């Protein structure tokens, strides 16, 4: 998508064809040409002291009946047309009035003098490009070719092109040569069968062909072309590269680049905005995505500018939720087991539902409630081998994305603790005896209580304390 940059001043210079004589509204080639420039993203201003036509920017220096010498006399002096209306580009179509059926005017000398007058203005002002065409040819009266003036026009064009090419080669003149005579495709017959309104002036369709030739064969050899690349569609949070490598400077003076983001849209930071290929990180966007617009402006060494824009559509990437059913664990039969999905989360939204279900195990249990973040069940009675119960937690987020996770609960039958009352002892009467159960063990848990009692002997002793890991008594007299 093209957009406009700095304004380019263009002077249409010549005689009645430049004025637009013979066209239906005296727009000539100028309106069609301006429309082409604007539609391709160039901001232009046609300059001159005259106005003809029905469009807004209709200024020109097309002086009906003028010959080459008259144009040369007025283009540069203190009151000259260029001093009054400076231009960066001149579209020069002049010489038709010098050529008649009785005047075999074929010399390029006066055209060269005119070019030198323009060059004098350049030396004291700013550079000017001149687009110099082969003149359009003509038809004879009553649309009955051939006529001598048609051949004289071709000879004149040949000589002017040779002179101009020599000036380009030898002097480096800023001339762009175009073939308006044959390359524009004019059909040299009267309208409506042909493109001419009379023997020397085109009609609207002929002027349109001239406009296309000025633009495509002339101006596009001077003006830079910005190409911001193809529109892109990318996912959020990735690195995006803008590509201006398709931009072009037809006269090879080199381009500078300037990228900028155009509102609206989330503001991003462009890395290396004066490079051909800057980058930025796509922002996080909502579920509907977002469009960002970037404008590339290229400038050549002649300070001509052109801009182009590119759209980058940022797509929301729906991230599924994370289902976390909790860590695996082992429990004793008969115990209440709590399953918790509180570790679940949704990176780009919220979890809207939980669903628990048992997916394996020899024993089936009843989950209460099965559709909450947390659920419980009673560990079933099991045999000596125990049982491994597997549960699946399924979570859904606000984008209706679903993810599942599992947890394994090992149910075991409890094992009795091992009581170790210590080694047998032999002590003297009256001595304090200590009994120690610290080597007792519970293979599948922890010991929660100790209880000592005397179960035999002729003498009964008093154990203090009887309910601790360690107890003492006094050996009786025997």
């Amino acid at each position: 998508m093209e957009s406009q940059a700095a304004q380019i001043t263009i002077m249409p210079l010549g005689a009645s064809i430049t004025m637009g004589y013979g066209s239906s509204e005296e727009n000539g080639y100028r309106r069609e040409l301006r429309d082409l420039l604007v539609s391709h993203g160039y901001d232009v201003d046609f300059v001159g002291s005259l106005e003809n036509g029905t469009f807004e920017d209709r200024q020109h220096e097309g002086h009906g009946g003028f010959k080459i010498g008259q144009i040369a006399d007025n283009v540069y002096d203190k009151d000259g047309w260029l001093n009054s209306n400076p231009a960066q580009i001149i579209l020069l179509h002049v010489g038709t009035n010098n050529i008649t059926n009785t005047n075999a005017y074929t010399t390029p000398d006066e055209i060269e003098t005119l070019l030198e007058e323009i060059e004098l203005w350049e030396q004291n002002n700013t550079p000017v490009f001149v687009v110099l065409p082969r003149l359009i040819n003509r038809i004879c009266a009553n649309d009955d070719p051939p006529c001598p003036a048609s051949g004289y026009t071709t000879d004149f064009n040949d000589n002017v092109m040779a002179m101009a090419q020599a000036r380009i080669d030898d002097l480096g003149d800023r001339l762009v040569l175009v073939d308006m005579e044959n390359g524009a495709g004019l059909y040299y017959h009267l309208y409506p069968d042909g493109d001419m309104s009379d023997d020397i002036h085109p009609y609207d369709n002929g002027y349109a062909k001239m406009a296309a030739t000025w633009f495509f064969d002339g101006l596009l050899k001077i003006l830079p072309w910005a190409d911001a690349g193809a529109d892109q569609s990318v996912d959020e949070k990735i690195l995006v590269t803008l590509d201006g490598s398709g931009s072009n400077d037809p006269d090879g003076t080199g381009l500078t680049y300037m990228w900028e983001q155009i509102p609206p849209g989330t503001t991003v930071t462009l890395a290396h905005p004066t490079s051909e290929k800057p980058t930025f990180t796509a922002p996080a966007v909502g579920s509907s995505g977002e469009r960002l617009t970037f404008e590339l402006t290229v400038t050549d060494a002649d300070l001509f500018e052109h801009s182009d824009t590119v759209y980058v559509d940022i797509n929301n990437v729906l991230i599924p939720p994370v289902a976390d059913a909790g860590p695996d664990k082992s429990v004793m039969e008969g115990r209440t087991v709590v399953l918790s999905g509180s570790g679940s989360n949704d990176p780009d939204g919220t979890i809207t539902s939980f669903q628990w279900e048992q997916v394996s195990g020899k024993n089936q249990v009843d989950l209460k409630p099965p559709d909450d973040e947390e659920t419980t069940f009673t560990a079933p009675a099991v045999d000596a081998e125990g049982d491994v119960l597997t549960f699946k937690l399924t979570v859904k987020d606000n984008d209706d994305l679903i993810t599942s996770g599992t947890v394994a609960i090992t149910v075991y039958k409890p094992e009795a603790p091992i009581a170790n009352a210590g080694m047998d002892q032999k002590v003297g009467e009256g001595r304090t005896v200590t009994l120690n159960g610290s080597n007792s063990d519970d293979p599948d848990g922890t010991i929660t209580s100790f209880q000592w009692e005397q179960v035999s002997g002729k003498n009964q002793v008093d154990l203090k304390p009887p309910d601790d890991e360690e107890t003492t008594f006094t050996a009786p007299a025997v």
Side-chain angles (χ1 to χ4, degrees):
M1 173 184 173
E2 294 88 12
S3 60
Q4 295 182 349
Q7 194 169 65
I8 300 165
T9 53
I10 299 176
M11 177 182 285
L13 177 60
S16 56
I17 292 175
T18 299
M19 181 186 73
Y21 185 86
S23 61
S24 60
E25 296 179 320
E26 292 192 341
N27 291 316
Y29 66 74
R30 292 173 289 111
R31 181 168 188 167
E32 292 279 349
L33 176 57
R34 190 180 190 283
D35 288 346
L36 277 172
L37 285 158
V38 171
S39 68
H40 285 77
Y42 295 102
D43 183 10
V44 296
D45 180 23
F46 284 176
V47 299
S49 61
L50 303 178
E51 294 186 9
N52 288 86
T54 59
F55 64 109
E56 182 177 353
D57 188 21
R58 56 184 181 270
Q59 289 74 29
H60 64 91
E61 294 292 355
H63 297 264
F66 271 36
K67 296 182 179 180
I68 301 169
Q70 293 170 286
I71 300 294
D73 290 342
N74 287 278
V75 74
Y76 173 57
D77 56 37
K78 68 176 182 177
D79 298 318
W81 299 325
L82 279 174
N83 278 327
S84 301
N85 296 285
Q88 296 166 285
I89 300 173
I90 292 175
L91 307 179
L92 180 60
H93 189 281
V94 64
T96 304
N97 294 321
N98 292 75
I99 304 168
T100 68
N101 283 329
T102 59
N103 181 21
Y105 184 90
T106 60
T107 175
D109 294 349
E110 285 189 288
I111 290 289
E112 186 161 25
T113 298
L114 173 53
L115 294 176
E116 288 171 351
E117 288 294 312
I118 295 172
E119 189 174 291
L120 284 174
W121 188 86
E122 283 188 276
Q123 292 172 3
N124 297 289
N125 294 277
T126 56
V128 177
F129 279 91
V130 176
V131 183
L132 182 63
R134 295 178 67 94
L135 299 180
I136 68 167
N137 215 310
R138 63 187 68 207
I139 59 177
C140 295
N142 301 316
D143 197 14
D144 185 23
C147 56
S150 176
Y152 299 156
T153 299
T154 298
D155 292 342
F156 174 77
N157 285 335
D158 290 342
N159 294 332
V160 168
M161 292 296 105
M163 175 274 296
Q165 188 61 55
R167 290 186 67 88
I168 294 171
D169 296 340
D170 299 340
L171 304 176
D173 276 13
R174 296 169 180 263
L175 299 175
V176 176
L177 310 182
V178 299
D179 185 1
M180 199 69 74
E181 179 185 8
N182 304 301
L186 271 77
Y187 185 48
Y188 291 107
H189 292 276
L190 289 175
Y191 177 82
D193 297 325
D195 293 327
M196 305 297 286
S197 66
D198 58 32
D199 59 332
I200 61 174
H201 299 98
Y203 190 60
D204 292 350
N205 48 337
Y207 277 120
K209 293 178 179 180
M210 289 186 69
T213 303
W214 284 122
F215 180 71
F216 291 105
D217 296 348
L219 293 174
L220 286 189
K221 293 181 180 179
I222 301 170
L223 301 176
W225 179 261
D227 184 348
D231 295 338
Q232 301 185 51
S233 179
V234 301
D235 292 338
E236 59 186 351
K237 301 178 183 179
I238 70 164
L239 187 68
V240 182
T241 300
L242 302 176
D243 188 355
S245 63
S247 302
N248 177 50
D249 179 30
D251 58 1
T253 58
L255 294 174
T256 60
Y257 298 81
M258 177 55 70
W259 293 86
E260 62 178 327
Q261 185 178 356
I262 305 299
T266 300
T267 300
V268 299
T269 299
L270 283 172
H272 312 295
T274 59
S275 68
E276 186 181 82
K277 297 181 179 182
T279 60
F280 70 94
T281 299
V285 296
S287 58
S288 59
E290 188 174 340
R291 168 168 283 187
L292 304 183
T293 305
F294 299 89
E295 181 180 69
L296 167 63
T297 298
V298 296
T299 306
D300 67 9
D302 302 305
L303 302 183
F304 292 127
E305 291 184 358
H306 187 238
S307 296
D308 186 31
T309 55
V310 62
Y311 295 126
V312 181
D313 290 324
I314 311 299
N315 304 313
N316 173 250
V317 179
L318 297 179
I319 303 175
V322 177
D324 185 350
D328 296 341
K329 54 188 172 182
S330 297
V331 299
M332 192 187 333
E333 63 182 4
R335 295 288 177 86
T336 297
V337 183
V338 178
L339 302 179
S340 176
S342 61
S344 303
N345 67 89
D346 183 26
D348 61 353
T350 57
I351 293 177
T352 58
S353 70
F354 295 82
Q355 188 65 48
W356 294 90
E357 62 177 314
Q358 183 179 350
V359 293
S360 69
K362 293 183 290 183
N363 295 276
Q364 196 71 21
V365 300
D366 185 18
L367 294 168
K368 297 180 180 179
D371 55 358
D372 204 351
E373 180 180 271
E374 189 173 279
T375 189
T376 62
F377 69 93
T378 300
V382 295
D383 56 25
E385 292 181 353
D387 196 1
V388 178
L389 310 179
T390 302
F391 300 89
K392 180 171 75 171
L393 168 63
T394 300
V395 296
K396 180 190 290 186
D397 68 9
N398 57 304
D399 296 311
D400 291 331
L401 298 180
I402 294 174
T403 308
S404 297
T406 60
V407 61
I409 307 298
T410 301
V411 182
Y412 62 87
K413 185 175 286 294
E415 295 183 39
I418 300 170
N420 188 333
M423 298 181 65
D424 294 342
Q425 302 180 49
K426 187 175 183 179
V427 299
E429 59 183 1
R431 296 291 181 85
T432 297
V433 181
T434 299
L435 303 178
N436 192 319
S438 62
N439 287 324
S440 301
D441 181 45
D442 182 19
D444 59 0
T446 58
I447 295 175
T448 59
S449 69
F450 294 83
Q451 188 65 48
W452 295 90
E453 64 179 312
Q454 184 178 348
V455 295
S456 68
K458 293 184 289 182
N459 296 282
Q460 195 71 21
V461 298
D462 185 18
L463 295 168
K464 296 180 180 179
D467 55 0
D468 204 352
E469 182 180 81
E470 188 175 279
T471 189
T472 63
F473 68 92
T474 302
V478 292

